Amino acid sequence: MAKDNALQKIEAHEKLCRIMQKQTHDKIHKLERQINRLEKIVLVSAGMLIMGMANMIFMLITKWNLPLT
């Protein structure tokens, strides 16, 4: 009788652990997707900033006909 009760408690605990493990995995997966999205935004923003700065430099050089050296 006590053995059956102990087995039921262990099984209930294992079931709870599996549920919590799945929830944790889902949360980690969601965070991973969000981080990937933010990385793309940061990389695109940095690329646009670099291109804009390069364009400004090019316009300044061509406006005043400055030598590149």
Side-chain angles (χ1 to χ4, degrees):
M1 181 89 148
K3 192 174 189 180
D4 292 336
N5 191 21
L7 284 174
Q8 286 177 345
K9 286 183 179 181
I10 291 171
E11 289 174 357
H13 179 74
E14 287 178 352
K15 184 177 180 181
L16 179 63
C17 287
R18 282 192 297 272
I19 291 169
M20 291 174 64
Q21 184 179 19
K22 183 178 182 334
Q23 288 175 344
T24 303
H25 179 267
D26 292 343
K27 287 179 184 178
I28 290 171
H29 188 65
K30 182 181 175 186
L31 285 173
E32 183 180 9
R33 285 194 312 255
Q34 289 175 343
I35 289 169
N36 287 337
R37 183 178 149 266
L38 289 173
E39 284 177 344
K40 289 177 186 175
I41 291 170
V42 168
L43 289 175
V44 168
S45 299
M48 294 299 286
L49 182 65
I50 290 169
M51 288 179 60
M53 292 171 69
N55 188 34
M56 296 275 273
I57 292 169
F58 178 74
M59 289 173 62
L60 288 172
I61 290 173
T62 57
K63 181 179 179 180
W64 289 310
N65 293 325
L66 296 175
L68 294 176
T69 55

